[in-house]
Amino acid sequence: MIIINLKNRLDKKEFKSVVDFELEYLLKFKKNTKPQDKLQELKNNTSDINEKKIVTYLIRNFDSIIIEKPNKLKKIIDHFKTQKWEEIIYKSSKTTDFGTKLLECFGYKDRFRDGKTRGIWLAEKINLKSCCYCNAQYGITIKGKKALFQFDHFFPKTKYPYLSISLYNLIPSCANCNNTKNRTDLNLEEYFHPYFNNLSDLAKFHLEYDPDPRKIFTFKELKKQNLKVNFIAKAVDTFDIVSKHNELYSIEDIYNCHHDIADEILMKSIIYTQKLIKNHLKIDGLFPDKKTYLRYLFSNYINESEIHNRPLSKFTQDLLKQFKIIDSY
Ligand SMILES: [Zn+2]
């Protein structure tokens, strides 16, 4: 749902570029957890020739594994497939003992599982406030203390423990989305990757309502109104990626639990006519611009670039576009 545009997210005073940030992320692991030393130890302690080959590959390509983009991570996965190394790590729907050892070497547990250290450094730098997959739940970070969300592994760590701390494999998400996805092995061609593409640009929420509230004059009648939220692709060629995302994370089901909010947006869109909005904006010094006014009126962010700031902001914006309160894409 939300694209993590690191270039815009990072504090420019702290990082001159995304590359600077990637290098600092890499250095943090090298310094604190020393995964390469642990991998070397694992290599020394195993007599299995294939296990030795895997660990050698991981030591050699360590930097790429940690900071490469998702499409390059996919190439690393493909290399494991070509070498027939997959079953050494994951067999009969379970991570093997060797796979578990790899996970320990990369130090995922030390850095991300523990309640206090759970990726707090990364969480603070990315600085999002809602789940990337659903934009329906908060995902906040209490500065210096705790990240109140989970990191989903786009490429599951059960199958790919060597990607367990890879920067672009860690997706800040709510517990519901993380648990729903669980071990599902997704691919970049068919599924939305928050560091890779912007689902918000590809899909929109649309509210079906019957009867039209403009023709209803009492709240009693309004209660009988049928509402239905749809999550639809904006273009034919994005239909598959949108449908798959919708199905996997139950997007329409989640948003159909928010008919009360949809109803409030719909009713306010009718009550606050363009004429009334114009009159309010004429009041000197009260609102700097129309977008700020609408943010207060609809209790959410109106700019597309601020979707990550609050749950349901994408939903609010799309409905406001549908009701012609704000400009459509
Ligand atoms: Zn979520």
Side-chain angles (χ1 to χ4, degrees):
M1 191 82 71
I2 299 168
I3 188 162
I4 309 174
N5 186 338
L6 283 178
K7 210 176 155 200
N8 296 343
R9 303 300 316 140
L10 298 171
D11 182 348
K12 287 174 185 61
K13 281 183 216 144
E14 199 176 355
F15 302 104
K16 281 195 193 94
S17 66
V18 175
V19 175
D20 278 358
F21 169 70
E22 290 169 347
L23 290 176
E24 187 159 341
Y25 180 82
L26 176 65
L27 281 176
K28 278 189 96 62
F29 281 102
K30 281 190 168 178
K31 246 199 267 170
N32 299 339
T33 347
K34 301 194 184 344
Q36 282 162 304
D37 294 354
K38 287 176 189 161
L39 285 169
Q40 189 59 51
E41 210 179 300
L42 180 62
K43 188 179 164 184
N44 296 342
N45 290 337
T46 181
S47 51
D48 185 288
I49 188 80
N50 278 319
E51 289 182 4
K52 270 189 193 297
K53 276 186 189 170
I54 290 174
V55 181
T56 306
Y57 174 85
L58 293 175
I59 293 171
R60 254 186 222 152
N61 296 283
F62 183 78
D63 291 6
S64 302
I65 286 165
I66 303 302
I67 55 171
E68 273 296 5
K69 306 282 187 292
N71 49 345
K72 290 276 174 62
L73 297 182
K74 180 68 180 43
K75 281 189 180 150
I76 294 168
I77 291 174
D78 290 343
H79 180 75
F80 272 67
K81 272 186 194 154
T82 318
Q83 297 295 321
K84 300 197 178 354
W85 288 345
E86 278 191 313
E87 286 217 331
I88 302 168
I89 293 169
Y90 186 81
K91 202 176 179 183
S92 314
S93 310
K94 265 170 51 186
T95 314
T96 61
D97 287 346
F98 175 69
T100 307
K101 281 179 195 162
L102 283 184
L103 191 66
E104 283 164 14
C105 287
F106 277 88
Y108 169 76
K109 234 178 168 180
D110 306 331
R111 308 305 305 166
F112 288 93
R113 285 298 292 267
D114 176 82
K116 280 184 185 165
T117 57
R118 186 189 284 168
I120 188 147
W121 184 86
L122 181 59
E124 280 182 4
K125 303 301 169 207
I126 297 177
N127 193 22
L128 300 176
K129 283 177 80 180
S130 85
C131 170
C132 289
Y133 289 130
C134 68
N135 186 220
Q137 299 287 338
Y138 272 110
I140 55 173
T141 310
I142 305 170
K143 216 169 181 331
K145 285 188 179 172
K146 220 174 184 183
L148 299 178
F149 56 82
Q150 301 180 350
F151 279 103
D152 170 57
H153 290 87
F154 186 86
F155 301 114
K157 66 178 184 307
T158 42
K159 266 185 132 172
Y160 316 107
Y162 50 91
L163 301 181
S164 59
I165 59 165
S166 302
L167 174 61
Y168 294 104
N169 198 31
L170 292 163
I171 317 290
S173 64
C174 69
N176 180 48
C177 287
N178 190 21
N179 293 335
T180 303
K181 181 178 160 286
N182 201 6
R183 295 176 178 197
T184 318
D185 198 357
L186 308 182
N187 61 61
L188 292 168
E189 291 75 32
E190 290 180 308
Y191 284 90
F192 155 74
H193 188 297
Y195 284 104
F196 201 60
N197 40 28
N198 189 356
L199 193 73
S200 183
D201 269 357
L202 310 179
K204 65 178 178 184
F205 289 103
H206 186 271
L207 186 69
E208 277 180 39
Y209 46 90
D210 179 46
D212 187 334
R214 289 167 190 85
K215 292 170 189 157
I216 294 174
F217 299 101
T218 69
F219 268 94
K220 207 174 163 190
E221 280 177 293
L222 190 69
K223 290 284 167 211
K224 290 178 196 155
Q225 194 188 43
N226 291 314
L227 296 177
K228 188 171 175 270
V229 178
N230 299 309
F231 186 61
I232 52 176
K234 288 187 188 175
V236 180
D237 59 346
T238 58
F239 181 82
D240 283 351
I241 191 167
V242 173
S243 305
K244 284 206 154 76
H245 187 81
N246 184 25
E247 218 171 283
L248 182 61
Y249 299 102
S250 309
I251 299 295
E252 282 182 352
D253 291 340
I254 292 172
Y255 282 84
N256 273 303
C257 293
H258 291 302
H259 281 180
D260 54 339
I261 295 171
D263 170 54
E264 285 166 21
I265 296 171
L266 177 59
M267 287 312 289
K268 279 184 187 169
S269 300
I270 295 166
I271 296 163
Y272 289 82
T273 58
Q274 292 296 345
K275 197 178 162 192
L276 190 59
I277 292 173
K278 265 186 193 162
N279 283 340
H280 284 161
L281 287 171
K282 277 183 202 158
I283 304 171
D284 266 353
L286 195 54
F287 298 105
D289 51 53
K290 191 178 172 185
K291 285 200 166 164
T292 310
Y293 168 80
L294 292 175
R295 198 194 124 200
Y296 281 92
L297 180 57
F298 292 98
S299 306
N300 219 323
Y301 288 86
I302 304 300
N303 288 327
E304 284 165 32
S305 59
E306 293 177 314
I307 284 170
H308 53 80
N309 273 345
R310 192 175 293 173
L312 307 185
S313 50
K314 162 80 176 152
F315 181 58
T316 304
Q317 289 177 21
D318 285 350
L319 263 50
L320 290 180
K321 282 170 191 164
Q322 184 185 339
F323 305 143
K324 304 202 179 341
I325 296 290
I326 57 176
D327 293 337
S328 199
Y329 291 111

